[in-house]
Amino acid sequence: MPEGPELHLSSLYVNKVCDGVVFTGPVRKSEVSKCPDVHFTCEAYRITAASRGKEVKLTLTPIKSDGSKQRAKPGQADQPMDIVFRFGMSGYFRLTTVDELPKHAHLRFYTKEKSCRVLSFVDTRRFGSWHPNGTWQPDRGPCVMFEYESFRENLVSHLSDRVFDRPICEVLLNQKYFNGIGNYLRAEILYRLNIPPFVPARTVLEGLEAQDPCENEKPVTKNVTGKKTVVKAKNRVEMSDLLRMCHKVPLEVVNLGGKGYDPEKADYSGFEAWLQCYSVEGMKSVQDHNGRTIWFKGDPGPMVPKDSKSPKAKKRVKKEGDPEHTDKKKVKTNQRQKVIKQETPKKEKDTRLREAGSKTRKTERTLEVSTPRRRKSSNTDPTTGSLRKSRRVAKRNSK
């Protein structure tokens, strides 16, 4: 699911590809989308984007000709419109030609060019949404990345709320206080601080100040001496401050380029190498009280759900050229050959016995068919018949 860093990268992408581009005509929605229609039509307008936590706002601004004080034509927009997007599970923006329009492009903005292009909001699973004439959602707190001071003040001032009685891993997904934090970010933040996921949130957060004590300190620098690189030790306060880590870790992802939500950067290797806990081999995982999977190391904490199930870990697929894959394949092949060799003598013996038995039965049947059965004669003396015949002949002659 796109989290704060991915939405910010999407806004940067829109600003980059739409810089100097003029759009025209109506905003069109796909037939299958259940989101509201965007009633905006203009002969010429520009598009800019901004992000806040897990929301992106596009601003459509009509272009007015210099010195023109005439009113816009009927049906044509003359005032800017804001459209607020929430990406759901799979939303992102893409600028393509008309012929390369993505299959799941559910909201489309057309350029005013000879070779027309389209800026599309693409959402394969259709969990995302947009709101014409929208504003930032009021129930969401300040952005953890770009409204850091307000984020800290908002959270510290609400620590008495009952929601902080819940496990820290579940509170981190509450966008009222941690706007921009999602599933992979919470796992990485808790892992770096060595905090069990199922401990009360208030015990972790109480004692933190509304103002970051490390905010005015100089950033950590590297001193290079010859071939050796000496890194100064990080401040313990900085490393133990969960709110500061909620600010720093997402910005690290922004600097990496995100998880591929910038269409021009499709390489995932940098992000996968950056992950230390989330979906990493050797880490544990259970489902929290809301059914979301949390990754961690060590003891989960006292508030872990009873009978919690650990989702099946995804096995890393090894390529044919991978030495580890080749070695395992050889071992499995040798094991199969040994099993076959062990089973062969027994199978051959059973086969011979069955064949011998079948031959014996065939021989017995052949003998029974080829040997005729003799009738039992009632006369034991073979000469009796001939005597009777001679007597009948003698009687005829005497007559």
Side-chain angles (χ1 to χ4, degrees):
M1 176 185 289
E3 302 182 17
E6 287 71 46
L7 272 79
H8 178 65
L9 289 168
S10 292
S11 69
L12 296 180
Y13 170 78
V14 171
N15 288 332
K16 178 181 177 181
V17 299
C18 294
D19 184 25
V21 178
V22 178
F23 293 82
T24 188
V27 179
R28 297 176 184 175
K29 185 186 77 167
S30 68
E31 296 179 355
V32 297
S33 176
K34 296 182 180 179
C35 291
D37 292 325
V38 177
H39 299 289
F40 183 92
T41 303
C42 189
E43 289 185 357
Y45 66 94
R46 299 190 186 278
I47 295 178
T48 56
S51 70
R52 182 177 184 264
K54 286 192 175 185
E55 294 178 302
V56 170
K57 179 170 64 178
L58 294 192
T59 301
L60 317 184
T61 307
I63 300 175
K64 297 179 180 179
S65 57
D66 296 337
S68 176
K69 296 182 180 180
Q70 296 179 356
R71 293 182 179 179
K73 296 179 181 179
Q76 298 287 318
D78 61 348
Q79 296 296 324
M81 174 185 280
D82 290 335
I83 308 174
V84 177
F85 290 82
R86 300 181 189 107
F87 282 18
M89 296 289 290
S90 58
Y92 64 93
F93 287 104
R94 178 71 57 85
L95 182 68
T96 64
T97 62
V98 175
D99 295 335
E100 297 173 340
L101 189 70
K103 180 180 179 180
H104 300 282
H106 295 302
L107 196 66
R108 303 185 284 269
F109 309 85
Y110 292 82
T111 65
K112 192 176 183 178
E113 299 170 320
K114 289 183 179 180
S115 300
C116 183
R117 293 182 293 170
V118 189
L119 177 68
S120 306
F121 176 66
V122 187
D123 188 8
T124 305
R125 302 183 68 178
R126 282 192 277 167
F127 290 151
S129 63
W130 59 79
H131 304 271
N133 295 311
T135 58
W136 302 124
Q137 194 172 7
D139 292 340
R140 294 177 182 267
C143 176
V144 296
M145 293 183 291
F146 304 110
E147 298 174 328
Y148 179 48
E149 293 182 4
S150 300
F151 155 65
R152 290 187 68 99
E153 292 172 359
N154 177 60
L155 190 137
V156 172
S157 63
H158 288 88
L159 274 179
S160 60
D161 292 356
R162 292 181 60 184
V163 68
F164 293 99
D165 295 333
R166 300 182 63 83
I168 184 62
C169 67
E170 296 175 11
V171 175
L172 280 170
L173 296 184
N174 191 325
Q175 300 302 295
K176 183 178 180 180
Y177 305 103
F178 295 92
N179 188 10
I181 300 298
N183 209 28
Y184 81 80
L185 284 174
R186 69 169 177 173
E188 295 298 319
I189 292 167
L190 294 176
Y191 173 77
R192 295 188 186 196
L193 295 173
N194 198 25
I195 297 175
F198 293 97
V199 295
R202 187 177 289 105
T203 61
V204 177
L205 298 170
E206 61 185 358
L208 296 180
E209 301 176 3
Q211 186 175 0
D212 188 346
C214 302
E215 188 174 4
N216 296 325
E217 293 184 4
K218 294 182 180 180
V220 177
T221 58
K222 294 183 179 180
N223 296 329
V224 180
T225 306
K227 296 183 179 180
K228 296 182 179 180
T229 303
V230 181
V231 182
K232 291 184 177 180
K234 293 185 178 180
N235 193 306
R236 291 183 180 180
V237 177
E238 177 183 352
M239 292 302 297
S240 63
D241 192 330
L242 184 138
L243 300 185
R244 182 173 180 81
M245 294 300 287
C246 288
H247 169 65
K248 291 186 64 177
V249 174
L251 290 177
E252 290 181 11
V253 182
V254 171
N255 293 330
L256 290 173
K259 295 191 299 184
Y261 283 88
D262 181 350
E264 294 181 355
K265 186 178 177 64
D267 185 9
Y268 297 86
S269 59
F271 178 77
E272 291 174 351
W274 174 84
L275 289 171
Q276 300 179 30
C277 179
Y278 179 78
S279 196
V280 173
E281 187 177 355
M283 296 296 166
K284 301 178 183 178
S285 65
V286 297
Q287 291 184 342
D288 62 20
H289 295 89
N290 300 317
R292 300 288 301 276
T293 302
I294 174 67
W295 295 80
F296 62 97
K297 182 179 181 180
D299 182 26
M303 300 181 74
V304 63
K306 295 181 179 179
D307 302 325
S308 58
K309 297 180 180 179
S310 178
K312 293 182 179 179
K314 297 180 181 178
K315 294 183 179 180
R316 182 187 169 194
V317 179
K318 296 285 184 182
K319 298 181 180 179
E320 290 295 331
D322 194 327
E324 185 179 348
H325 172 81
T326 307
D327 294 342
K328 287 182 179 179
K329 197 171 182 180
K330 288 181 181 178
V331 171
K332 288 183 179 179
T333 304
N334 294 335
Q335 289 176 349
R336 285 198 205 99
Q337 291 175 351
K338 288 180 181 179
V339 171
I340 291 170
K341 288 179 181 178
Q342 291 174 358
E343 292 180 353
T344 300
K346 186 180 179 181
K347 288 184 179 178
E348 289 180 354
K349 185 177 180 181
D350 294 342
T351 304
R352 290 195 201 99
L353 291 173
R354 283 197 297 270
E355 289 178 354
S358 62
K359 288 180 180 178
T360 304
R361 286 193 292 272
K362 286 181 180 178
T363 304
E364 290 175 353
R365 289 173 187 169
T366 305
L367 291 172
E368 288 177 1
V369 172
S370 61
T371 306
R373 294 181 181 179
R374 296 179 179 179
R375 293 182 181 181
K376 292 181 181 180
S377 175
S378 60
N379 297 323
T380 57
D381 190 357
T383 61
T384 303
S386 60
L387 289 172
R388 287 179 182 176
K389 186 176 181 180
S390 63
R391 287 174 184 172
R392 284 195 298 271
V393 172
K395 286 182 179 180
R396 287 175 190 165
N397 295 331
S398 64
K399 289 180 181 180

